[in-house]
Amino acid sequence: MRVLVVEDDDAVADGIVDGLADRAITATRVATGAAGIAAAAEQAPDLIVLDLGLPDIDGTEVCRRIRAASAVPIIIVSARDDEVDRVVALELGADDYIVKPFGMRELVARIHAILRRSGATDRGAGDEGSRLVIDSRARRVLLDGEPVHLTPREFDVLEYLARDRGAVYRRTDILRDVWDTTWFGTAKTLDAHIAAVRKKLGDPGWIESVRGVGFRLGEP
């Protein structure tokens, strides 16, 4: 996965590039709108993270120009949190909008969600060197090279945990993001799906429980 970061703030840009690198995502950074437009055409990235407050060209105009030439997914990251700014950016072709400050976990989750919808991602984050491979585009799971047959919801739960292997995900976040934003069901639903995935993977150590918090994907 190749991500282009168009951001003039060095601290923010370095944080994004380093944070993506920690998750095996290759990112390059440019600091101006003109450079972003040129890099989008020359590098053909899989996704663009675009700031609105650029020193030469407003980010909304950069978004419009890139969208006119390419269907590459674009995530806006901006300190502007007015509804008008969000609406304008989305109407110009942005795929998502995140208000600064934001966490890397949220950004990575949104990147994977967008690429999953667009079919641009081949496998889940962090699969390199693991016995467990999660192919997001084909919605397929392999364990030691053998297919693991999961229900659609079981796959969604496992893929969610695989976005940042080793990170602990809270129960409430999993229920909200895997089911939907208006989910008000019981946590027992999540427990049942976790138990089913553990059984199909053949070792409960793949999904570790963190008491009072949630779950994380391990490597037994």
Side-chain angles (χ1 to χ4, degrees):
M1 188 190 308
R2 296 167 300 165
V3 173
L4 172 64
V5 178
V6 186
E7 169 64 66
D8 66 319
D9 187 307
D10 291 338
V12 174
D14 290 345
I16 294 174
V17 171
D18 292 345
L20 293 178
D22 289 341
R23 292 159 175 82
I25 299 174
T26 300
T28 57
R29 178 257 182 142
V30 295
T32 66
I37 294 168
E42 296 169 1
Q43 299 179 15
D46 296 310
L47 183 139
I48 296 174
V49 175
L50 172 64
D51 180 31
L52 292 185
L54 299 171
D56 56 340
I57 307 173
D58 189 80
T60 54
E61 176 62 16
V62 176
C63 179
R64 187 191 68 78
R65 294 189 193 181
I66 292 175
R67 180 57 69 241
S70 170
V72 59
I74 300 172
I75 296 179
I76 299 294
V77 292
S78 176
R80 305 177 193 172
D81 60 357
D82 289 342
E83 181 181 8
V84 172
D85 292 313
R86 295 171 182 263
V87 170
V88 168
L90 293 171
E91 287 183 344
L92 288 174
D95 296 88
D96 205 347
Y97 193 111
I98 304 178
V99 176
K100 298 176 181 177
F102 56 87
M104 277 305 303
R105 183 176 299 175
E106 177 185 7
L107 177 60
V108 171
R110 292 188 186 226
I111 287 174
H112 281 292
I114 289 173
L115 294 182
R116 186 167 62 249
R117 290 195 298 269
S118 68
T121 174
D122 292 326
R123 57 169 53 182
D127 284 336
E128 294 80 3
S130 173
R131 296 166 52 210
L132 182 65
V133 174
I134 301 164
D135 187 333
S136 297
R137 183 167 60 182
R139 292 184 66 83
R140 180 179 61 176
V141 175
L142 299 176
L143 178 59
D144 294 329
E146 296 296 324
V148 179
H149 301 290
L150 303 177
T151 67
R153 190 66 75 188
E154 289 166 359
F155 179 89
D156 290 341
V157 170
L158 182 61
E159 183 193 40
Y160 187 86
L161 296 175
R163 291 174 181 174
D164 189 358
R165 292 201 181 200
V168 179
Y169 287 93
R170 295 179 295 180
R171 288 172 174 269
T172 53
D173 291 341
I174 300 172
L175 284 167
R176 180 196 65 208
D177 297 339
V178 172
W179 271 256
D180 61 52
T181 55
T182 58
W183 173 259
F184 293 104
T186 173
K188 290 183 179 179
T189 299
L190 174 58
D191 292 334
H193 282 80
I194 292 290
V197 174
R198 283 171 169 164
K199 182 176 180 180
K200 291 180 179 181
L201 293 179
D203 189 330
W206 281 109
I207 300 179
E208 304 171 11
S209 297
V210 179
R211 188 169 182 176
V213 183
F215 301 96
R216 65 178 164 213
L217 186 63
E219 183 92 17

